[in-house]
Amino acid sequence: MFPSTSRDTGREPWADDPSAGPSGPARGYPPAPRTGPAEEEGERPERKGPRRLRKGGPGRRPDDESDEEPEEEVPPVPVRRPLALTVAGFAALLGVGLVLGAQTSGPGHRLPFAAIIFGVQLLFVLAWTMAMRPPALLVVALVSAATAVIADVAAVQSDIAGLAPLGYAAAAGLLLAVLGQLVRRVDRVRVTDSLGGTLLIVVGVVAFATLIVLSRIPKGTQAITVCLTAAGVALLVARLTDAVAPWPRLAPQVPRGATGVVAGAMIGTLTSAVLGSYLVGFTPTSAALVGVVSAATAVLADLAVGYAEAGRLMAGEPPTMWVARHMQGPLGGFALAAPAAYAMCVLFL
């Protein structure tokens, strides 16, 4: 027979005594919290649920979504109505000056029109060099102004009205501008990146001289009237629409709307068709065909200038001169519309 109680009854157990019973928890007490090297060393807990496949990346689990920070939405650039109205007025004045200057051109009297074109070319050089800021800015500006003089003289004095002398002037101007940037070691590093900007400035200056060549062609003055009127009306309507209803926004960083771009091109084409019914040598159909190309190119060039300016600001470059920045769009629109008018006149009239 064994005694009903143990021999150790009444003894106090020592802390270092090994446990005589099983390793489980004592009766009546909750289990102690589990500790271990995994939790002490900060190991990540077990993931719950299967991984989900996401488009364009590796799979992830539902508990991974909380670790990702939400993307910050870029607030759209506000549309300033007084500024849009001012740019619209400048585009209208520029178009009226070019159209009226073309009416003064005639056999043996092309210098007044050449003087007006040269003034517009100087505005173009000022606005685009200040906006794009190529290396050796002063050298590029002086070379572009000299190229404008050479192109205008070649357009007036050449025996045959053609674009070959203007092409030679543009090539010489671009070569001199690039050489001027290569002289200084500081500017030499950036010459490759700025080659496109320098090309735009020089070619844009020479593009205005095509209007002088076009005035020497039969039906050229009428073509200038139709094309530049369509371009001026398109730019005016596009900017006025942006001041009233700039929607839908084409990009949050560009204060332009698609309604203005489409409405400007359409109303510019309609205006050229109306002019074609009154001008000799044109019909509403031919005038609309010539006008739609000029209006569309002018509006798209103006819009592209806005995207370029937004890209420079997003890249961290400092903003350019206020006047030059907002003159750049209409001047670029007319610079692109001028060779378009020449091409349409030569190919379709």
Side-chain angles (χ1 to χ4, degrees):
M1 298 293 293
F2 291 96
S4 60
T5 59
S6 174
R7 293 180 302 173
D8 297 335
T9 303
R11 289 182 59 185
E12 295 181 2
W14 296 93
D16 55 349
D17 285 347
S19 177
S23 59
R27 292 183 180 179
Y29 292 93
R34 180 182 178 183
T35 59
E39 295 186 2
E40 292 176 357
E41 296 177 2
E43 184 175 329
R44 296 181 63 180
E46 290 186 14
R47 299 182 180 272
K48 301 177 181 179
R51 284 184 175 271
R52 295 186 306 177
L53 294 178
R54 56 179 176 178
K55 187 176 181 180
R60 63 180 180 182
R61 295 186 176 90
D63 53 355
D64 293 341
E65 298 178 356
S66 59
D67 299 337
E68 298 180 358
E69 297 181 358
E71 297 182 358
E72 296 182 0
E73 295 184 359
V74 180
V77 177
V79 179
R80 291 180 286 178
R81 184 173 299 178
L83 177 61
L85 295 175
T86 303
V87 177
F90 173 72
L93 290 176
L94 187 61
V96 170
L98 289 174
V99 171
L100 292 181
Q103 303 302 320
T104 64
S105 179
H109 298 84
R110 308 193 189 279
L111 289 180
F113 187 41
I116 294 174
I117 294 296
F118 181 68
V120 176
Q121 287 170 328
L122 290 181
L123 287 177
F124 183 88
V125 171
L126 173 64
W128 280 71
T129 52
M130 292 302 298
M132 306 195 75
R133 292 182 180 179
L137 187 147
L138 184 60
V139 174
V140 174
L142 293 177
V143 170
S144 300
T147 304
V149 174
I150 295 173
D152 294 344
V153 172
V156 172
Q157 299 294 334
S158 59
D159 296 332
I160 301 175
L163 298 182
L166 304 186
Y168 298 146
L174 179 62
L175 180 61
L176 290 177
V178 173
L179 290 177
Q181 294 172 356
L182 291 174
V183 171
R184 297 179 57 189
R185 182 177 300 177
V186 178
D187 300 328
R188 195 181 306 162
V189 179
R190 298 176 50 206
V191 67
T192 304
D193 299 334
S194 65
L195 183 60
T198 306
L199 179 63
L200 285 176
I201 296 172
V202 174
V203 173
V205 165
V206 176
F208 280 104
T210 58
L211 295 175
I212 303 176
V213 178
L214 185 58
S215 66
R216 300 176 56 183
I217 299 176
K219 298 183 182 180
T221 303
Q222 291 87 341
I224 293 174
T225 302
V226 171
C227 294
L228 296 189
T229 301
V233 171
L235 293 173
L236 175 64
V237 172
R239 292 289 185 166
L240 289 178
T241 307
D242 289 337
V244 178
W247 51 268
R249 291 291 291 269
L250 296 173
Q253 297 82 12
V254 181
R256 302 294 303 273
T259 304
V261 175
V262 176
M266 293 177 63
I267 297 179
T269 304
L270 178 62
T271 305
S272 63
V274 173
L275 281 176
S277 61
Y278 294 99
L279 293 178
V280 177
F282 277 89
T283 62
T285 302
S286 62
L289 179 62
V290 172
V292 67
V293 176
S294 300
T297 53
V299 172
L300 292 178
D302 187 19
L303 182 62
V305 168
Y307 273 93
E309 180 65 23
R312 286 192 292 267
L313 293 178
M314 292 179 64
E317 298 183 10
T320 57
M321 184 186 300
W322 185 87
V323 177
R325 185 167 67 250
H326 299 297
M327 289 170 55
Q328 190 184 5
L331 287 169
F334 280 105
L336 191 60
Y342 180 88
M344 295 299 294
C345 182
V346 172
L347 296 177
F348 296 101
L349 297 180

